[in-house]
Amino acid sequence: MILWDDGGYELACDHFRTFERTGQLSELEAAINGFRALASTRLDGAVANGLAIALWSRYEVLGDRGDLDEAVTGLRQAIGRHPDDAERLPSYLANLAGALRVRWRATGSGDDVVEAAEASRRAVEVTPTHHRRRSARLNNHADGLLTVHLHSGDSTALDRAISLFRQAVDAADAGSDDLVNAKSNLAEALRLRFQSTRDIGLIDEAVVLAGTVVPGARTRALRARFQSNLALVLLARHSATGRDQDLRTATDLVHQALKESPAGHPNRAERSAVLAECRRLALVSSHRGARAPHRLGTDRASGLPFLVRRKGNRLARATEDAVRSTPHGHPTRADALLKHGLALAFVDDRAGALALYRQVAEEPDFPPRVRVEAARLWAYEMAARRNWPAALEAFRLAVELLPRTAPRHVTQADREQALAAFAGLASDAAACAIQAGDPSLAVALLEQGRGVMIGHALDARTEVTDLEEQHPDLARRFDELRTALDAPSGAFVQAAGLSGERRHALTEEWHDLVDSIRSLPGFARFLRPPAVEEFADSADRGLVVVVNVSALRSDALLIAGRTIVPVALPELELTDLADRAERFRLSPADEIDSVLSWLRQVIVDRLPLHDAPARLWWMPTGPLTALPLHAAGDLMDRFVSSYTPTLRSLATVWQASAISRPDSPLIVAVPSAPGVPDLPAAQDEADDIATRFARPHVLTADRALRRSVLKALPRHRWVHFACHARSADIDGEGRLVLWDHLEKPLSVNDIARLRLAGAEIAFLSACETSAAPPELTDESPHITGAFHMAGFQHVIGTLWRVGDRTSQLVASHYYDALAETPSPAIALHTAVLKIRATHPAARWAPFVHVGG
């Protein structure tokens, strides 16, 4: 046995450097043996660190998880031996963070993500501002936050990572490895941000950055990594712009990267997935060109153009290789299996595709997002075969998992984006249940799969009196968790980067706690949507009409107490409805008469409402949420209509105390503000309303500031806004336009995160406060919905733009009526009827009441 001294340490380092330069595995083995011999006789952090880095490198060549696990252990030991060494500790921390992130890519372990983020943060914290390794450690910390985003979907972590990557680029020396690494990582982060923003400037910048680092790779392994990363950003730009050259270049690059990634290589899984995506996009391009089959030839067996089918087979082989290269436990294995299933479906291997859909959907350790998509594909395949019981099994699983795709620990914007990917899923599931003869299950599926964010808000307001009496410790912890999780979303990823992960851990504890509470006697339905039977005691309040729209079928479900009456609506077709809703959204004044006539014909006239009570609650789904269903036919003459996003939210309002007239409502009026047209009637409206109360709290003009309004809202049961509003659009979320809106608007998220005990009425005398983005109609992510989420039992909003003087007139009539009736819905109905005779439908029909 060779005895190693300090010279032995240098010799081991020399062997490792030679390996890095030449790629000779024998040199790496010599380095590992040298470090091991030293470690057996010398307890030193430098030796532990050297051995760990060498083992990590061998893992990246041979893929033996044991090497990576030993590397992590060794780096932890190095840190433990030098906790106060200002020179060596940052390097050990940064190396540990990198090794943990590599292990996360193999296992998907959330614990590794947390520890890696903490280690990378500490490394930056103990590195002086002008230290020569500052750039590398900023890059390492940013990579930790990028991993947080990849693991949890938290966009605030991604935004922070981009900022740190830019700092790392700025801090790096020209031509250094640090600069190359920071640019490569910044390019990948920009690609991920582009996926949600679709800002073409981001992806163009990413292409430039990723392209500049490939020539700067100092090893073949690094070059392969940079080539694969460049291929990814080029594919993203191809998807956005259709540039064929980007697709061809990406395919060439990933082929080159795969040559350096033989079977068993730790990065083969990701690179095989990139090649599969190249094949898929090439197939999409060919399929678009398949309209000229005489030029391509046709495969007699499938009827597909021959070239398209050949590329389909190549895609299936590529996705099969991606599956084969992705080990069990790898974070991308679920995606690899699902994409292979889609490829098999394209080449008509329906049985193979279906087996993979079901495998992915039923695997509890796979990400919820991928499981929902797989279950949805499984359900659609069964529906296409008209096997409704099997389709219903898959739909039930998809809807059950859907809320888990939008967990509490991410921002509202992240949740909206996640849920938008599955728009219409609950309606399809309900349609399948109706087709299978179970309308009660249809209602339950709609409750479970729609209004997920409203459900979170209702959870936060849940009374726990019974729980406090019987299980005070559980009630106390429940209250602590919901208070923490209800804080503003953006506050959870600070400069340190760990708060988001603590929020993730709290979310997991929340789910475990709720499961524990539900297992207790008498608490099985804790935080669950109400069963239809729970409406029995409120049967005399009126009739709830759910209008479910799906490509499978469309129906109305009339709910009165325990009774559900399904009514088929065969003329209500989803594609036609979507087209009409889009035309209406663009020009309501031109389309209103046509839309009202159509709604009467395809829906209202088919409903058995002759013996219905005078109060109706509408719960439309899909594109129907954008249309004035309450104003169709003779409904205004026969009924007082309200809307509700979910049955649970309606039941919550019904269970609340009756409203009581306050002395001091909050009145916010913005007759003028920078950058928007004046609203002269807004001041008159506020003055008129103020005279009706003893001590109104009025914020107008330059006193109507975001911070002032947010501070005042919790102190008032009634609020009235007279101002401009903006619905959600490509520039951002819905918001109310206050005096300081150019600095910071009062957004949907600001309002929705409030938890206002005792809030009763919000009157939003502004434009489009009830208009939701087409892809999020199931979630009510508009201003009206935000006030409802915040706790207001009754919210009056508008479906489209309203005139300044019309809004003032409706508000005046409304408060006149509210002095005579305790019902805000009846008061609004009375006010609208008064102006209906002298105004066209486009002027009075946009006003709607949401709540009880």
Side-chain angles (χ1 to χ4, degrees):
M1 177 179 177
I2 299 175
L3 296 177
W4 295 80
D5 53 14
D6 287 342
Y9 174 78
E10 289 302 322
L11 182 58
C13 290
D14 284 343
H15 280 302
F16 183 72
R17 284 190 286 267
T18 302
F19 158 73
E20 284 196 306
R21 188 175 64 256
T22 66
Q24 294 180 17
L25 194 58
S26 59
E27 291 292 332
L28 179 59
E29 296 293 347
I32 290 172
N33 291 335
F35 286 127
R36 280 201 193 282
L38 280 173
S40 67
T41 60
R42 173 176 164 186
L43 296 176
D44 182 82
V47 173
N49 180 71
L51 177 58
I53 298 303
L55 289 167
W56 177 358
S57 298
R58 188 167 71 179
Y59 164 77
E60 293 200 330
V61 175
L62 302 178
D64 184 346
R65 266 281 311 283
D67 282 343
L68 188 56
D69 291 341
E70 187 179 351
V72 169
T73 299
L75 288 165
R76 287 172 177 158
Q77 291 171 350
I79 292 167
R81 289 170 185 165
H82 300 277
D84 301 315
D85 190 326
E87 183 59 34
R88 289 192 284 184
L89 179 62
S91 294
Y92 300 162
L93 287 166
N95 289 339
L96 175 61
L100 288 165
R101 289 196 299 272
V102 170
R103 190 165 72 176
W104 166 79
R105 290 188 178 277
T107 66
S109 168
D111 290 340
D112 282 349
V113 174
V114 173
E115 188 179 355
E118 169 67 359
S120 66
R121 181 194 65 78
R122 288 179 58 202
V124 171
E125 193 175 66
V126 297
T127 300
T129 302
H130 300 293
H131 193 278
R132 61 184 177 81
R133 300 297 292 157
R134 178 76 176 178
S135 173
R137 288 163 193 166
L138 285 167
N139 180 67
N140 187 277
H141 182 30
D143 208 10
L145 288 171
L146 187 63
T147 307
V148 170
H149 167 72
L150 292 171
H151 183 74
S152 69
D154 192 338
S155 65
T156 55
L158 177 58
D159 290 339
R160 179 63 178 156
I162 290 172
S163 175
L164 287 169
F165 281 135
R166 292 194 187 281
Q167 293 178 42
V169 169
D170 292 341
D173 293 332
S176 66
D177 290 345
D178 291 343
L179 181 61
V180 170
N181 291 331
K183 283 185 173 181
S184 177
N185 289 338
L186 175 57
E188 173 61 6
L190 292 172
R191 180 186 73 85
L192 293 171
R193 201 70 186 104
F194 167 75
Q195 290 179 346
S196 59
T197 65
R198 310 310 292 175
D199 180 350
I200 198 67
L202 292 178
I203 201 63
D204 282 340
E205 182 185 359
V207 169
V208 172
L209 287 165
T212 61
V213 302
V214 174
R218 57 184 176 79
T219 67
R220 292 164 62 185
L222 270 180
R223 185 178 299 109
R225 173 188 154 199
F226 293 160
Q227 287 169 333
S228 181
N229 289 350
L230 176 56
L232 275 172
V233 296
L234 287 169
L235 288 179
R237 190 167 71 177
H238 166 78
S239 297
T241 66
R243 293 188 195 180
D244 289 336
Q245 184 58 49
D246 282 347
L247 178 56
R248 288 192 292 269
T249 303
T251 304
D252 291 341
L253 285 165
V254 75
H255 272 302
Q256 295 173 47
L258 279 167
K259 289 178 182 177
E260 302 297 328
S261 315
H265 190 283
N267 299 117
R268 185 170 181 86
E270 290 92 338
R271 292 164 193 173
S272 295
V274 177
L275 178 60
E277 182 64 4
C278 290
R279 298 282 190 235
R280 186 189 72 80
L281 291 172
L283 183 59
V284 169
S285 180
S286 295
H287 203 41
R288 284 198 299 264
R291 295 176 180 176
H294 61 280
R295 291 165 44 202
L296 299 173
T298 299
D299 183 288
R300 292 181 180 177
S302 68
L304 288 173
F306 173 73
L307 181 57
V308 173
R309 184 163 181 81
R310 186 175 69 178
K311 288 189 174 183
N313 289 329
R314 292 174 67 188
L315 170 62
R317 289 195 297 272
T319 55
E320 183 179 20
D321 180 63
V323 170
R324 192 166 47 244
S325 303
T326 309
H328 291 278
H330 194 284
T332 64
R333 182 166 178 81
D335 270 313
L337 287 166
L338 183 58
K339 288 176 180 176
H340 186 42
L342 289 166
L344 292 179
F346 185 86
V347 297
D348 290 333
D349 183 358
R350 315 299 299 186
L354 186 60
L356 285 173
Y357 298 158
R358 186 161 190 165
Q359 177 187 344
V360 173
E362 293 181 334
E363 173 53 60
D365 292 332
F366 282 168
R369 170 190 60 81
V370 188
R371 292 184 66 194
V372 173
E373 180 59 26
R376 179 164 68 170
L377 289 167
W378 166 21
Y380 291 159
E381 177 65 25
M382 292 294 95
R385 301 180 187 188
R386 306 195 68 77
N387 185 340
W388 300 112
L392 190 54
E393 177 188 3
F395 272 129
R396 292 183 73 165
L397 177 59
V399 171
E400 178 185 339
L401 293 170
L402 183 61
R404 293 176 55 191
T405 68
R408 288 172 170 272
H409 64 269
V410 299
T411 66
Q412 174 155 321
D414 291 332
R415 283 182 282 170
E416 287 179 1
Q417 184 177 359
L419 293 167
F422 300 107
L425 173 61
S427 289
D428 290 340
C432 182
I434 294 169
Q435 186 70 37
D438 195 340
S440 181
L441 178 58
V443 173
L445 289 168
L446 287 170
E447 282 298 289
Q448 195 170 20
R450 297 177 71 256
V452 172
M453 291 185 293
I454 289 176
H456 288 168
L458 292 173
D459 291 348
R461 299 203 302 272
T462 296
E463 294 292 336
V464 292
T465 304
D466 292 341
L467 190 66
E468 288 172 340
E469 291 176 354
Q470 300 179 41
H471 305 279
D473 290 342
L474 293 179
R476 182 169 56 254
R477 187 54 183 157
F478 174 83
D479 189 59
E480 291 170 351
L481 287 173
R482 69 175 172 181
T483 299
L485 290 169
D486 239 22
S489 303
F492 287 90
V493 179
Q494 307 291 348
L498 269 193
S499 317
E501 278 309 300
R502 283 198 293 272
R503 185 174 177 83
H504 176 77
L506 290 174
T507 300
E508 292 301 311
E509 185 181 350
W510 166 279
H511 290 312
D512 291 342
L513 179 63
V514 170
D515 287 342
S516 297
I517 293 171
R518 287 174 178 168
S519 68
L520 299 171
F523 290 91
R525 298 205 57 79
F526 185 73
L527 297 190
R528 293 191 188 278
V532 174
E533 291 77 10
E534 294 180 34
F535 279 75
D537 294 338
S538 303
D540 60 341
R541 290 180 181 263
L543 179 69
V544 179
V545 183
V546 179
V547 186
N548 189 59
V549 186
S550 165
L552 299 177
R553 59 177 292 158
S554 295
D555 302 86
L557 298 166
L558 280 60
I559 306 174
R562 299 175 184 271
T563 303
I564 301 177
V565 178
V567 179
L569 301 174
E571 295 181 67
L572 183 57
E573 297 179 355
L574 180 59
T575 53
D576 181 32
L577 170 61
D579 289 343
R580 290 177 183 272
E582 178 61 15
R583 292 198 305 270
F584 185 80
R585 184 184 67 82
L586 295 173
S587 184
D590 294 335
E591 298 289 331
I592 183 70
D593 292 334
S594 172
V595 161
L596 290 178
S597 176
W598 179 77
L599 288 171
R600 178 192 57 75
Q601 176 186 341
V602 301
I603 299 177
V604 175
D605 285 353
R606 291 184 170 272
L607 301 180
L609 298 177
H610 46 278
D611 293 325
R615 285 288 277 120
L616 294 182
W617 279 269
W618 298 97
M619 194 174 98
T621 67
L624 192 60
T625 57
L627 303 183
L629 189 54
H630 65 283
D634 60 353
L635 289 176
M636 287 288 294
D637 296 315
R638 299 171 56 199
F639 304 101
V640 174
S641 290
S642 296
Y643 289 85
T644 182
T646 65
L647 296 182
R648 181 185 175 191
S649 65
L650 180 58
T652 301
V653 174
W654 282 353
Q655 292 162 8
S657 303
I659 65 169
S660 55
R661 186 178 180 86
D663 291 330
S664 178
L666 174 64
I667 302 169
V668 181
V670 189
S672 64
V676 294
D678 288 350
L679 295 173
Q683 187 64 59
D684 296 337
E685 186 174 326
D687 292 342
D688 173 50
I689 296 168
T691 62
R692 301 167 185 267
F693 297 91
R695 292 177 290 106
H697 182 185
V698 181
L699 296 174
T700 188
D702 59 357
R703 295 181 59 231
L705 303 174
R706 174 179 175 273
R707 65 176 181 274
S708 302
V709 171
L710 287 175
K711 182 179 180 180
L713 277 170
R715 301 200 298 266
H716 299 275
R717 297 199 307 274
W718 290 16
V719 300
H720 185 102
F721 286 83
C723 59
H724 282 294
R726 297 285 184 270
S727 60
D729 55 26
I730 58 174
D731 296 323
E733 59 187 325
R735 59 271 194 202
L736 289 171
V737 178
L738 303 181
W739 178 264
D740 57 346
H741 71 103
L742 295 178
E743 299 174 22
K744 178 67 174 175
L746 182 62
S747 69
V748 162
N749 188 44
D750 291 328
I751 301 161
R753 70 177 176 80
L754 298 173
R755 297 296 171 256
L756 305 177
E760 294 178 349
I761 304 174
F763 193 120
L764 309 178
S765 186
C767 296
E768 301 179 324
T769 60
S770 298
E775 69 277 9
L776 276 168
T777 54
D778 286 342
E779 287 302 316
S780 303
H782 43 59
I783 305 167
T784 298
F787 275 90
H788 200 47
M789 283 188 233
F792 284 93
Q793 300 173 38
H794 307 270
V795 187
I796 292 159
T798 55
L799 288 170
W800 59 89
R801 291 181 178 274
V802 291
D804 188 24
R805 290 296 173 187
T806 302
S807 298
Q808 178 196 0
L809 188 59
V810 170
S812 179
H813 289 322
Y814 164 81
Y815 284 101
D816 285 343
L818 197 58
E820 305 296 329
T821 175
S823 168
I826 293 175
L828 179 66
H829 182 81
T830 302
V832 170
L833 284 179
K834 285 189 175 182
I835 69 167
R836 187 177 64 156
T838 55
H839 291 74
R843 303 277 294 276
W844 55 262
F847 293 91
V848 293
H849 170 261
V850 175

